[in-house]
Every structure is written in C-alpha cells, then in structure tokens.
Amino acid sequence: MKFIVSSVAIVAMIVVAVVGVGSAVDAGTPSGDCRIEGLEVKCNGADPPSPTPVPGTPTPGGGGDTPDSPTIATYTEIVPSTPCAVDYTKYRIEVRWRANGVLLSSMVSCVPDGDPPPPPPPPPPPPPTRGEMVADAAPLLVLETGLNPPRDGLGGVSQLETWLWCDHDGDVTVDVTLNGWRAVAVARIETLEWVIEGPDGRTVRSATDCGSEPDPDSNGSSAAARWTPNEAGDYTVSLTGTWGGTWTRSFGAVSETFDLGSVVVANPTVDYTVVEIQSVGVENP
C-alpha cells in the first residue's frame, strides 16, 4: 500500500482499477523466427505471455478487471493541505506499467462526495510487435551479391574461379516510431548462404560475413566465397542472409529490450552466364 503524505492527514482508502487494452497487447518477450521474401514478412511463434505483476503491486480482482492489461492504476484518497471545495474528495491517481512497476503518470483530481473516482488516464497505445519491427527493418537487411568475373562483361568462365561477396559493412540500426512507441533494432549478419544452380547442378557456399570486392589482380582472398563452374551455360545465384541482434521499444519511462531472434532474408536471385573459352594453337610464322 502506498501512502501520500500531507501536512494534515494521510490515506483513507485505496481503490484499484485496471486500465485495459485486452489481449491484443504484445506484453511479453516476442519469440519465433521471421522470414523476409521481397516485400512480405512472415513471423512464426506463439503470442508472447502476459506480463507478470510486480511484487507489492496491487493485484486486480473482481468483475470487469483484466489481469492481462499492461497498466494498473492506483487511486489514493488524500486529505491535502490545500483541500478541494466543500463536500469534495481529493484523489491521487498513479498509472504504472504492470510488468516492472515503472510510473507512467500521476494526477490529482477533486470529486464531489458520493461520486465514483474519476477514470484513470488512458493507457499507452498497444506496444509494437517484433513482426512490425522486422517489417520496418526489412529494406535495410537486403543484400546484393557481387560477382567476379562480373555479370556485365563476359560473365563467368568455365574452369575459372568466380568470387562472391555482398554489399554490407557493420551492424544495421533501425530507429522508427510505431504506434506512438519508439522502436530501435540493431541487427548483424550471423550466416550467409549462396545457392548456385545451373548446368553443374546445385552448389552451396556459406560464410559468416559479406567479405569485400577483391582487387582484380589479387588472389580473391577478400571474397566471402568462391566457386568454380565446370560447365558453360546459364546459372542463377541466390543469397539468403540470417540476421540476429536486439530491439528495444520505449514509451515515456517504459523501456523493454528483447532478442531480435533469427531473421532470415531471401535476397533477389541474379542470373549469371558462364561461357567457355577455348584456346587455339597458332604456328609461329
């Protein structure tokens, strides 16, 4: 029980009410994997659990309460040093985030004797979900495959090594406003997988970072992966990136940080033509 001290008197009564937004609130730790294909984002996993009341916080009870609500309002009747008008009662109303007890708002209201306490301030809007955060981050997680020999020249050459890399350097930070909440994600590459399909069949190359474009005169050591085609013809090269990291959602004094989980991004497939170059012996004159 929380007491509000004044110079005249102290607490007379506490009434507990819950500010509800129903089960649509994603109040626990988001879970499951997300996959991004083009403009479509698909997230798996059950809805997160409701928040657990903070020890010592009044627990709602009785008809009309919604224990899964993200906020809880405490009404305290006080006798202040500066009273209300005659036949009025003064209340202090505090609204706290149920999951951790953080104070969201505090107000004082005078109510005619015999009237019910005033309604609490409205709760925050429903917090953003992990899927919404991933959807906003999606455009920044798309990677473009680099190839050498380049696609805009001859293309690949059979029996000649092709170098693969992608255009990314460092973590990706996404800072957006969703439903009035600030949501910030920091994502980093965990694994990369190139799938090459064509006359040679199906070839898979993996890496843990994008590497970088090698100098044409180098041995290609800065590339993320290498592949040597055996047969000439038309190939496709597909790159799938798996990202991890954390994300935080905040509203006023409320701040919650979650694991981003595994975010799989299927990047656009590129066409790659491989040619065969035959040497012809010529006699010296």
mmCIF file with all atom_site columns, all heavy atoms in Angstrom, residues 203-218:
data_model
loop_
_atom_site.group_PDB
_atom_site.id
_atom_site.type_symbol
_atom_site.label_atom_id
_atom_site.label_alt_id
_atom_site.label_comp_id
_atom_site.label_asym_id
_atom_site.label_entity_id
_atom_site.label_seq_id
_atom_site.pdbx_PDB_ins_code
_atom_site.Cartn_x
_atom_site.Cartn_y
_atom_site.Cartn_z
_atom_site.occupancy
_atom_site.B_iso_or_equiv
_atom_site.pdbx_formal_charge
_atom_site.auth_seq_id
_atom_site.auth_comp_id
_atom_site.auth_asym_id
_atom_site.auth_atom_id
_atom_site.pdbx_PDB_model_num
ATOM 1   N N   . THR A 1 203 ? 25.012 -25.990 -56.181 1.00 0.00 ? 203 THR A N   1
ATOM 2   C CA  . THR A 1 203 ? 26.208 -25.783 -55.365 1.00 0.00 ? 203 THR A CA  1
ATOM 3   C C   . THR A 1 203 ? 25.879 -24.790 -54.255 1.00 0.00 ? 203 THR A C   1
ATOM 4   O O   . THR A 1 203 ? 25.207 -23.784 -54.502 1.00 0.00 ? 203 THR A O   1
ATOM 5   C CB  . THR A 1 203 ? 27.366 -25.233 -56.220 1.00 0.00 ? 203 THR A CB  1
ATOM 6   O OG1 . THR A 1 203 ? 27.639 -26.150 -57.288 1.00 0.00 ? 203 THR A OG1 1
ATOM 7   C CG2 . THR A 1 203 ? 28.626 -25.043 -55.375 1.00 0.00 ? 203 THR A CG2 1
ATOM 8   N N   . VAL A 1 204 ? 26.331 -25.056 -53.033 1.00 0.00 ? 204 VAL A N   1
ATOM 9   C CA  . VAL A 1 204 ? 26.070 -24.180 -51.894 1.00 0.00 ? 204 VAL A CA  1
ATOM 10  C C   . VAL A 1 204 ? 27.394 -23.682 -51.335 1.00 0.00 ? 204 VAL A C   1
ATOM 11  O O   . VAL A 1 204 ? 28.342 -24.455 -51.150 1.00 0.00 ? 204 VAL A O   1
ATOM 12  C CB  . VAL A 1 204 ? 25.279 -24.915 -50.789 1.00 0.00 ? 204 VAL A CB  1
ATOM 13  C CG1 . VAL A 1 204 ? 25.074 -23.998 -49.579 1.00 0.00 ? 204 VAL A CG1 1
ATOM 14  C CG2 . VAL A 1 204 ? 23.942 -25.399 -51.323 1.00 0.00 ? 204 VAL A CG2 1
ATOM 15  N N   . ARG A 1 205 ? 27.471 -22.390 -51.082 1.00 0.00 ? 205 ARG A N   1
ATOM 16  C CA  . ARG A 1 205 ? 28.637 -21.789 -50.440 1.00 0.00 ? 205 ARG A CA  1
ATOM 17  C C   . ARG A 1 205 ? 28.159 -20.963 -49.235 1.00 0.00 ? 205 ARG A C   1
ATOM 18  O O   . ARG A 1 205 ? 27.173 -20.242 -49.332 1.00 0.00 ? 205 ARG A O   1
ATOM 19  C CB  . ARG A 1 205 ? 29.400 -20.884 -51.418 1.00 0.00 ? 205 ARG A CB  1
ATOM 20  C CG  . ARG A 1 205 ? 30.057 -21.627 -52.567 1.00 0.00 ? 205 ARG A CG  1
ATOM 21  C CD  . ARG A 1 205 ? 31.236 -22.446 -52.074 1.00 0.00 ? 205 ARG A CD  1
ATOM 22  N NE  . ARG A 1 205 ? 31.949 -23.086 -53.184 1.00 0.00 ? 205 ARG A NE  1
ATOM 23  C CZ  . ARG A 1 205 ? 31.709 -24.312 -53.598 1.00 0.00 ? 205 ARG A CZ  1
ATOM 24  N NH1 . ARG A 1 205 ? 30.732 -25.021 -53.029 1.00 0.00 ? 205 ARG A NH1 1
ATOM 25  N NH2 . ARG A 1 205 ? 32.412 -24.828 -54.592 1.00 0.00 ? 205 ARG A NH2 1
ATOM 26  N N   . SER A 1 206 ? 28.846 -21.071 -48.109 1.00 0.00 ? 206 SER A N   1
ATOM 27  C CA  . SER A 1 206 ? 28.443 -20.387 -46.881 1.00 0.00 ? 206 SER A CA  1
ATOM 28  C C   . SER A 1 206 ? 29.535 -19.460 -46.384 1.00 0.00 ? 206 SER A C   1
ATOM 29  O O   . SER A 1 206 ? 30.720 -19.644 -46.681 1.00 0.00 ? 206 SER A O   1
ATOM 30  C CB  . SER A 1 206 ? 28.100 -21.410 -45.790 1.00 0.00 ? 206 SER A CB  1
ATOM 31  O OG  . SER A 1 206 ? 27.036 -22.252 -46.197 1.00 0.00 ? 206 SER A OG  1
ATOM 32  N N   . ALA A 1 207 ? 29.120 -18.458 -45.604 1.00 0.00 ? 207 ALA A N   1
ATOM 33  C CA  . ALA A 1 207 ? 30.064 -17.519 -44.998 1.00 0.00 ? 207 ALA A CA  1
ATOM 34  C C   . ALA A 1 207 ? 29.401 -16.890 -43.781 1.00 0.00 ? 207 ALA A C   1
ATOM 35  O O   . ALA A 1 207 ? 28.187 -17.016 -43.570 1.00 0.00 ? 207 ALA A O   1
ATOM 36  C CB  . ALA A 1 207 ? 30.463 -16.434 -46.004 1.00 0.00 ? 207 ALA A CB  1
ATOM 37  N N   . THR A 1 208 ? 30.193 -16.212 -42.953 1.00 0.00 ? 208 THR A N   1
ATOM 38  C CA  . THR A 1 208 ? 29.664 -15.521 -41.772 1.00 0.00 ? 208 THR A CA  1
ATOM 39  C C   . THR A 1 208 ? 29.726 -14.008 -41.915 1.00 0.00 ? 208 THR A C   1
ATOM 40  O O   . THR A 1 208 ? 29.288 -13.292 -41.017 1.00 0.00 ? 208 THR A O   1
ATOM 41  C CB  . THR A 1 208 ? 30.437 -15.949 -40.509 1.00 0.00 ? 208 THR A CB  1
ATOM 42  O OG1 . THR A 1 208 ? 31.829 -15.704 -40.703 1.00 0.00 ? 208 THR A OG1 1
ATOM 43  C CG2 . THR A 1 208 ? 30.216 -17.430 -40.213 1.00 0.00 ? 208 THR A CG2 1
ATOM 44  N N   . ASP A 1 209 ? 30.260 -13.527 -43.024 1.00 0.00 ? 209 ASP A N   1
ATOM 45  C CA  . ASP A 1 209 ? 30.224 -12.090 -43.304 1.00 0.00 ? 209 ASP A CA  1
ATOM 46  C C   . ASP A 1 209 ? 30.271 -11.891 -44.811 1.00 0.00 ? 209 ASP A C   1
ATOM 47  O O   . ASP A 1 209 ? 30.497 -12.829 -45.569 1.00 0.00 ? 209 ASP A O   1
ATOM 48  C CB  . ASP A 1 209 ? 31.371 -11.344 -42.609 1.00 0.00 ? 209 ASP A CB  1
ATOM 49  C CG  . ASP A 1 209 ? 32.740 -11.829 -43.043 1.00 0.00 ? 209 ASP A CG  1
ATOM 50  O OD1 . ASP A 1 209 ? 33.061 -11.705 -44.247 1.00 0.00 ? 209 ASP A OD1 1
ATOM 51  O OD2 . ASP A 1 209 ? 33.504 -12.333 -42.203 1.00 0.00 ? 209 ASP A OD2 1
ATOM 52  N N   . CYS A 1 210 ? 30.065 -10.645 -45.230 1.00 0.00 ? 210 CYS A N   1
ATOM 53  C CA  . CYS A 1 210 ? 29.965 -10.350 -46.663 1.00 0.00 ? 210 CYS A CA  1
ATOM 54  C C   . CYS A 1 210 ? 31.300 -10.363 -47.391 1.00 0.00 ? 210 CYS A C   1
ATOM 55  O O   . CYS A 1 210 ? 31.333 -10.432 -48.621 1.00 0.00 ? 210 CYS A O   1
ATOM 56  C CB  . CYS A 1 210 ? 29.318 -8.975  -46.849 1.00 0.00 ? 210 CYS A CB  1
ATOM 57  S SG  . CYS A 1 210 ? 27.514 -9.026  -46.955 1.00 0.00 ? 210 CYS A SG  1
ATOM 58  N N   . GLY A 1 211 ? 32.397 -10.260 -46.648 1.00 0.00 ? 211 GLY A N   1
ATOM 59  C CA  . GLY A 1 211 ? 33.661 -10.069 -47.330 1.00 0.00 ? 211 GLY A CA  1
ATOM 60  C C   . GLY A 1 211 ? 33.663 -8.722  -48.047 1.00 0.00 ? 211 GLY A C   1
ATOM 61  O O   . GLY A 1 211 ? 32.905 -7.817  -47.699 1.00 0.00 ? 211 GLY A O   1
ATOM 62  N N   . SER A 1 212 ? 34.496 -8.613  -49.054 1.00 0.00 ? 212 SER A N   1
ATOM 63  C CA  . SER A 1 212 ? 34.546 -7.369  -49.837 1.00 0.00 ? 212 SER A CA  1
ATOM 64  C C   . SER A 1 212 ? 35.022 -7.695  -51.245 1.00 0.00 ? 212 SER A C   1
ATOM 65  O O   . SER A 1 212 ? 35.572 -8.771  -51.507 1.00 0.00 ? 212 SER A O   1
ATOM 66  C CB  . SER A 1 212 ? 35.475 -6.349  -49.184 1.00 0.00 ? 212 SER A CB  1
ATOM 67  O OG  . SER A 1 212 ? 36.806 -6.853  -49.100 1.00 0.00 ? 212 SER A OG  1
ATOM 68  N N   . GLU A 1 213 ? 34.798 -6.742  -52.141 1.00 0.00 ? 213 GLU A N   1
ATOM 69  C CA  . GLU A 1 213 ? 35.189 -6.962  -53.533 1.00 0.00 ? 213 GLU A CA  1
ATOM 70  C C   . GLU A 1 213 ? 36.706 -7.051  -53.645 1.00 0.00 ? 213 GLU A C   1
ATOM 71  O O   . GLU A 1 213 ? 37.426 -6.124  -53.267 1.00 0.00 ? 213 GLU A O   1
ATOM 72  C CB  . GLU A 1 213 ? 34.671 -5.831  -54.409 1.00 0.00 ? 213 GLU A CB  1
ATOM 73  C CG  . GLU A 1 213 ? 35.022 -6.000  -55.878 1.00 0.00 ? 213 GLU A CG  1
ATOM 74  C CD  . GLU A 1 213 ? 34.442 -4.902  -56.749 1.00 0.00 ? 213 GLU A CD  1
ATOM 75  O OE1 . GLU A 1 213 ? 33.807 -3.973  -56.197 1.00 0.00 ? 213 GLU A OE1 1
ATOM 76  O OE2 . GLU A 1 213 ? 34.627 -4.981  -57.985 1.00 0.00 ? 213 GLU A OE2 1
ATOM 77  N N   . PRO A 1 214 ? 37.224 -8.179  -54.157 1.00 0.00 ? 214 PRO A N   1
ATOM 78  C CA  . PRO A 1 214 ? 38.682 -8.321  -54.283 1.00 0.00 ? 214 PRO A CA  1
ATOM 79  C C   . PRO A 1 214 ? 39.239 -7.437  -55.400 1.00 0.00 ? 214 PRO A C   1
ATOM 80  O O   . PRO A 1 214 ? 38.553 -7.108  -56.370 1.00 0.00 ? 214 PRO A O   1
ATOM 81  C CB  . PRO A 1 214 ? 38.872 -9.804  -54.627 1.00 0.00 ? 214 PRO A CB  1
ATOM 82  C CG  . PRO A 1 214 ? 37.563 -10.459 -54.307 1.00 0.00 ? 214 PRO A CG  1
ATOM 83  C CD  . PRO A 1 214 ? 36.520 -9.414  -54.532 1.00 0.00 ? 214 PRO A CD  1
ATOM 84  N N   . ASP A 1 215 ? 40.463 -7.059  -55.250 1.00 0.00 ? 215 ASP A N   1
ATOM 85  C CA  . ASP A 1 215 ? 41.173 -6.400  -56.343 1.00 0.00 ? 215 ASP A CA  1
ATOM 86  C C   . ASP A 1 215 ? 41.315 -7.408  -57.489 1.00 0.00 ? 215 ASP A C   1
ATOM 87  O O   . ASP A 1 215 ? 41.673 -8.571  -57.265 1.00 0.00 ? 215 ASP A O   1
ATOM 88  C CB  . ASP A 1 215 ? 42.554 -5.948  -55.864 1.00 0.00 ? 215 ASP A CB  1
ATOM 89  C CG  . ASP A 1 215 ? 43.282 -5.127  -56.916 1.00 0.00 ? 215 ASP A CG  1
ATOM 90  O OD1 . ASP A 1 215 ? 43.612 -5.700  -57.979 1.00 0.00 ? 215 ASP A OD1 1
ATOM 91  O OD2 . ASP A 1 215 ? 43.529 -3.932  -56.675 1.00 0.00 ? 215 ASP A OD2 1
ATOM 92  N N   . PRO A 1 216 ? 41.018 -7.003  -58.727 1.00 0.00 ? 216 PRO A N   1
ATOM 93  C CA  . PRO A 1 216 ? 41.103 -7.950  -59.849 1.00 0.00 ? 216 PRO A CA  1
ATOM 94  C C   . PRO A 1 216 ? 42.461 -8.619  -59.978 1.00 0.00 ? 216 PRO A C   1
ATOM 95  O O   . PRO A 1 216 ? 42.561 -9.732  -60.519 1.00 0.00 ? 216 PRO A O   1
ATOM 96  C CB  . PRO A 1 216 ? 40.798 -7.083  -61.075 1.00 0.00 ? 216 PRO A CB  1
ATOM 97  C CG  . PRO A 1 216 ? 39.987 -5.942  -60.537 1.00 0.00 ? 216 PRO A CG  1
ATOM 98  C CD  . PRO A 1 216 ? 40.525 -5.679  -59.169 1.00 0.00 ? 216 PRO A CD  1
ATOM 99  N N   . ASP A 1 217 ? 43.516 -7.960  -59.507 1.00 0.00 ? 217 ASP A N   1
ATOM 100 C CA  . ASP A 1 217 ? 44.857 -8.536  -59.630 1.00 0.00 ? 217 ASP A CA  1
ATOM 101 C C   . ASP A 1 217 ? 45.257 -9.366  -58.415 1.00 0.00 ? 217 ASP A C   1
ATOM 102 O O   . ASP A 1 217 ? 46.399 -9.841  -58.336 1.00 0.00 ? 217 ASP A O   1
ATOM 103 C CB  . ASP A 1 217 ? 45.887 -7.416  -59.824 1.00 0.00 ? 217 ASP A CB  1
ATOM 104 C CG  . ASP A 1 217 ? 45.684 -6.671  -61.143 1.00 0.00 ? 217 ASP A CG  1
ATOM 105 O OD1 . ASP A 1 217 ? 45.248 -7.324  -62.112 1.00 0.00 ? 217 ASP A OD1 1
ATOM 106 O OD2 . ASP A 1 217 ? 45.947 -5.457  -61.179 1.00 0.00 ? 217 ASP A OD2 1
ATOM 107 N N   . SER A 1 218 ? 44.323 -9.545  -57.457 1.00 0.00 ? 218 SER A N   1
ATOM 108 C CA  . SER A 1 218 ? 44.638 -10.293 -56.249 1.00 0.00 ? 218 SER A CA  1
ATOM 109 C C   . SER A 1 218 ? 44.273 -11.758 -56.416 1.00 0.00 ? 218 SER A C   1
ATOM 110 O O   . SER A 1 218 ? 43.806 -12.191 -57.477 1.00 0.00 ? 218 SER A O   1
ATOM 111 C CB  . SER A 1 218 ? 43.865 -9.704  -55.055 1.00 0.00 ? 218 SER A CB  1
ATOM 112 O OG  . SER A 1 218 ? 42.486 -9.993  -55.172 1.00 0.00 ? 218 SER A OG  1
#
